[in-house]
Amino acid sequence: MRTSKKSPELLMPVGTRDMLVAAVANGANAVYFGVPGWNARGRTVDFSLDDVREMIEYARLHNVKTYLAMNILIFEEELRELPGKLAKIIELRPDGFIIQDIGLSRLIRAIAPNQEIHASTQMTIASAEGANFVKPLGFNRVVLSRELSLRQIKDVAENTDQEIEVFIHGALCVSYSGQCLTSENFGGRSGNRGQCAQSCRLPYQMFVDGEELPLANTPYLFSPHDLCALPVLKEMEGYVDSLKVEGRLKSPEYVAAVARAYRAEIDNKKIDDFTHSALETLFSRGLTTGWLEGLDYERLVEGSFSNHHGERLGIVKKIHGSNVWISRDEKNSEMPLLGDGILFEPACFGGRVYAATMDKGWLKLDFGYDFDSRRVRVGMVAFRNDSPAIERELKKRYTERDCDRNIPIDITLTADSNKPLQITMTDLQGHSVTVTGEIPDAAKTPREDACARAETTLAALSGTAYIARQVSAKFPTTVFVVDKFVRALKQEAVKKLDELRKAPEQSRVATVEDFPISARAGVLFLANERARRPLKIATEKPELSVLVRNPEQIEALKGLPVKTVYMDFDWGVSYEEPLEHVHELGFEAGIATLRVHKPGESHYLRKIAKLAPEKVLVRNLAALGVLAETDAVKNGQMFLAGDYSLNIANSASANYLLDAGLKTFHPSLDLNAKELFDLLNVTDTRKVEIALHQYLPAFHSDYCAFANFGAQAKRFPECGKYCTKHKVEILDHKGKRHFLQSDAECRNTLYLGEPRSTLRLLPDFAKLGVNKFRLEMLDDTPEMVRRKTKIYAEALFKGMPLTEAARLIGAEEKYGVSEGQLFNETRWQDRKKG
């Protein structure tokens, strides 16, 4: 069993320099911030290289680690720009990089073989099998998916020797990180590129079997409450190495409050009422433990709002003039303060407090003469969602000198009539410096308090990062130690200790040989990866595969020029008979894995291995690692095809996963046409499969909107398998409908109503040697499956004009056909002004 007696690291977000100072002052052990231009928060201030250097040194001075987030997909053209830029950043010696892209992780390790790298939650690692798969790449730590319970987190920790990092506070995504294409599909702003548009926070409507489902003022079907792990934090002791807080777009005051609260909990200290109130008042959509205590759809998504509401105060009981009386919630003990902002829901209306008092057990709030109390009703809920007074107090906790996180040091001073004045400073981490001055003069009049006076001078460390723990001055009364010389020598010692602490850990990067950094090595690595593409790729006959989502669709393919039928069935649907049916029709059979692999789900992989289809559509890294070790794959009896969910966006990623056991791969859906062809031009295209027709996925979630709003159930099986009995569509804010479907583990995927067709690119694919194509069905009737497959087959094999094929396909689809973001070459960018 994996256990650790070491206190877990508290890891705080940094989006500005002030946030760094706030994190350090309030107890962070580590911070993370974005690599300039290359991180998953496109709206944060983009730091310069000098900014990054100064921030790393500031953190290191205060014994705080720095991790640089580069947690996005890297496109092929961008890889060429990176070796020189990466080398400059690595030379600053951050403690680690947080990485999503496999190719990028390989490039970093090529440039600096000893550089620590962490697997971002964007890699969708949710099991020990996934954590162990990335270890050979050099990853030292995995940031687990937020969708794991405490029990599942422990299971992962006990079955890997990787360090485990877990999110404990902040916003929750409704979709698995790394698997959300909603922003990309709705507006060309990919979450895998740091440009999430927060589509989950928008209002939606649900239609069940064609009829609108009344939602009773709860239109925010996919907007989770925020995460707060304080109630269960102690249960993570011993198996979680790093406790991570989300929030690089938040304020320094938010960072101060959150760091202060979790520092107290980690150190077994009481969290004061002020801090508890601040946690919610500064930013909160309502705090829950998320998935940590297991699935509870009602607790996770309530649906009535999606924005910041703050601290819930209670229910409105009485209104008179400018006064409102509230029955307070039991947990609230902090009184609202002058100037606090109060929000009333569902009115979405509020005002600022002029006075707050208790009146016969109720909280009485006076809003002043200009408050329109007619908009408030008895029974409404009151929230405190803004507090200038709280913000002022929290700002003091990282700006005022007595709130500095001072470093304890021991100081000794020695001198003698024939020995120079010498000061030594030593911190608790073992850093030590010694500075030497002049030999002191003889004292004209011996002073018994001379040593004490020197100790007082030495202990005065105001304006430095240090606080004196033990101070010792030893010299005979016969020598004259001048205070001015002691102060000057002390300042020199402080400067040297600063320099020593700002330097990288000597044990890890003592010399260039121990920690080599070579941009040229990165350039050569990329050249070798691209050289793996054959100089000439012969044109081969096209192959067509079809993915079906229910057994009834299989018979529709009879007699059509299809090579492989992939099966991707819902919960409880057996594969044995459909597999036999596929073989009877003369097709190769393929089975799709789950898109996410969690603890306890390896039985799906064992089942697939036992059934031994000709092909497996691999959708997660854990499945690749497990299946690649099966006898069927090793003996060449089972063929592993990588799906788009592996997020392959460059040749360095593709080559690694091909070497790991894939025979083919589907490129990431984040690529537009130009970026896709950039990849194909440096890849062995005989190993590439492209979807010609595909219902693009948006959210992929452990949260079930079927159960929550359709069956009013907290989890399976309370829902009565609602998803298997009804067809559900979601209407978005633009008036477009999409399909909500579940998988074998009751995970929801929202598929765009308009499937994407890549027919227009077919001639370009052929020129580059791509010959493997796929059609993906959804809830199509068997008749529709047959008609659609025949149209694509005639375009692919019989020369049907592509414009005619596109017209016919468009007529088949309920909501039409699109080309998605294939021809969108704009790059959205909206960074905060620094």
Side-chain angles (χ1 to χ4, degrees), residues 375-560:
R375 298 179 63 178
V376 183
R377 295 286 183 272
V378 171
M380 286 185 174
V381 182
F383 297 85
R384 172 165 61 169
N385 68 347
D386 178 54
S387 178
I390 288 178
E391 291 186 12
R392 285 194 299 271
E393 179 59 31
L394 286 168
K395 189 168 186 177
K396 292 178 185 177
R397 297 185 181 187
Y398 68 89
T399 57
E400 292 190 353
R401 184 170 292 175
D402 59 1
C403 291
D404 286 346
R405 183 174 168 182
N406 296 118
I407 302 151
I409 59 173
D410 297 336
I411 309 172
T412 61
L413 179 151
T414 58
D416 209 335
S417 57
N418 58 354
K419 291 181 181 179
L421 189 65
Q422 192 173 75
I423 293 177
T424 298
M425 290 184 176
T426 306
D427 65 22
L428 300 183
Q429 288 75 47
H431 302 102
S432 184
V433 297
T434 299
V435 293
T436 303
E438 301 293 329
I439 296 174
D441 295 331
K444 296 180 179 179
T445 305
R447 294 189 57 166
E448 296 298 327
D449 65 344
C451 287
R453 285 167 57 88
E455 289 174 355
T456 300
T457 301
L458 292 169
L461 294 169
S462 177
T464 75
Y466 308 104
I467 186 170
R469 188 178 75 122
Q470 295 180 353
V471 181
S472 172
K474 294 183 178 180
F475 51 87
T477 58
T478 55
V479 300
F480 180 47
V481 175
V482 182
D483 280 353
K484 180 174 66 174
F485 295 159
V486 173
R487 286 194 295 272
L489 207 57
K490 178 184 68 174
Q491 291 171 358
E492 184 182 346
V494 165
K495 182 179 178 181
K496 286 183 175 294
L497 187 57
D498 281 353
E499 292 171 352
L500 183 60
R501 290 182 62 87
K502 289 178 181 178
E505 285 298 320
Q506 299 301 309
S507 61
R508 202 156 62 84
V509 289
T511 65
V512 172
E513 290 73 23
D514 292 333
F515 198 91
I517 301 174
S518 170
R520 178 173 171 75
V523 173
L524 292 174
F525 163 77
L526 294 177
N528 290 334
E529 292 299 301
R530 295 187 182 109
R532 292 178 55 170
R533 185 183 195 274
L535 293 176
K536 187 174 182 180
I537 296 178
T539 302
E540 297 182 8
K541 182 181 177 181
E543 298 176 4
L544 183 63
S545 64
V546 179
L547 184 143
V548 297
R549 287 195 164 89
N550 64 66
E552 290 73 28
Q553 295 173 334
I554 296 172
E555 180 67 23
L557 300 172
K558 184 177 180 179
L560 296 180

Side-chain angles (χ1 to χ4, degrees), residues 9 54 66 98 113 155 167 232 273 314 525 566 582 597 642 685 758 805:
E9 168 186 275
E54 291 174 5
T66 50
I98 305 171
D155 181 282
F167 278 96
V232 296
D273 292 335
F525 163 77
Y566 286 111
V582 170
H597 182 272
T685 50
T758 57

Side-chain angles (χ1 to χ4, degrees), residues 91 150 177 556 569 727:
E91 284 173 356
L150 291 167
S177 294
F569 297 155
K727 289 189 176 182

Side-chain angles (χ1 to χ4, degrees), residues 167-309:
F167 278 96
I168 57 166
H169 198 93
L172 285 173
C173 303
V174 75
S175 179
Y176 277 93
S177 294
Q179 299 302 314
C180 184
L181 291 158
T182 316
S183 295
E184 167 73 15
N185 290 329
F186 285 5
R189 289 172 50 178
S190 172
N192 285 329
R193 296 282 292 168
Q195 299 162 356
C196 174
Q198 299 207 25
S199 302
C200 57
R201 306 298 179 187
L202 296 173
Y204 294 89
Q205 294 170 261
M206 182 181 286
F207 288 78
V208 179
D209 300 329
E211 298 293 326
E212 183 176 359
L213 183 72
L215 294 173
N217 297 316
T218 55
Y220 300 100
L221 306 181
F222 301 104
S223 180
H225 291 305
D226 291 345
L227 172 64
C228 176
L230 283 171
V232 296
L233 198 69
K234 290 301 180 183
E235 297 180 50
M236 298 185 192
E237 285 185 356
Y239 57 91
V240 173
D241 299 285
S242 181
L243 304 171
K244 186 172 193 173
V245 173
E246 178 274 343
R248 280 187 279 155
L249 295 175
K250 303 294 197 308
S251 67
E253 291 75 22
Y254 171 89
V255 169
V258 177
R260 191 175 185 86
Y262 283 90
R263 181 78 271 150
E265 186 69 15
I266 293 168
D267 294 345
N268 298 310
K269 296 178 181 177
K270 179 178 170 55
I271 304 173
D272 58 75
D273 292 335
F274 170 84
T275 303
H276 267 300
S277 290
L279 285 180
E280 296 196 71
T281 303
L282 291 179
F283 193 93
S284 166
R285 300 181 183 92
L287 298 180
T288 76
T289 54
W291 279 272
L292 292 173
E293 294 183 280
L295 287 174
D296 185 334
Y297 305 133
E298 293 177 355
R299 180 182 64 203
L300 190 69
V301 177
E302 182 264 343
S304 65
F305 61 87
S306 66
N307 56 353
H308 165 54
H309 268 47

Side-chain angles (χ1 to χ4, degrees), residues 335-385:
M335 289 286 287
L337 305 167
L338 176 66
D340 283 359
I342 307 298
L343 171 70
F344 295 98
E345 286 287 16
C348 196
F349 166 76
R352 292 201 176 273
V353 173
Y354 276 62
T357 57
M358 293 303 297
D359 182 11
K360 299 178 181 178
W362 287 350
L363 174 63
K364 179 184 176 184
L365 301 177
D366 183 356
F367 289 94
Y369 70 93
D370 58 347
F371 180 73
D372 186 2
S373 61
R374 293 171 297 177
R375 298 179 63 178
V376 183
R377 295 286 183 272
V378 171
M380 286 185 174
V381 182
F383 297 85
R384 172 165 61 169
N385 68 347

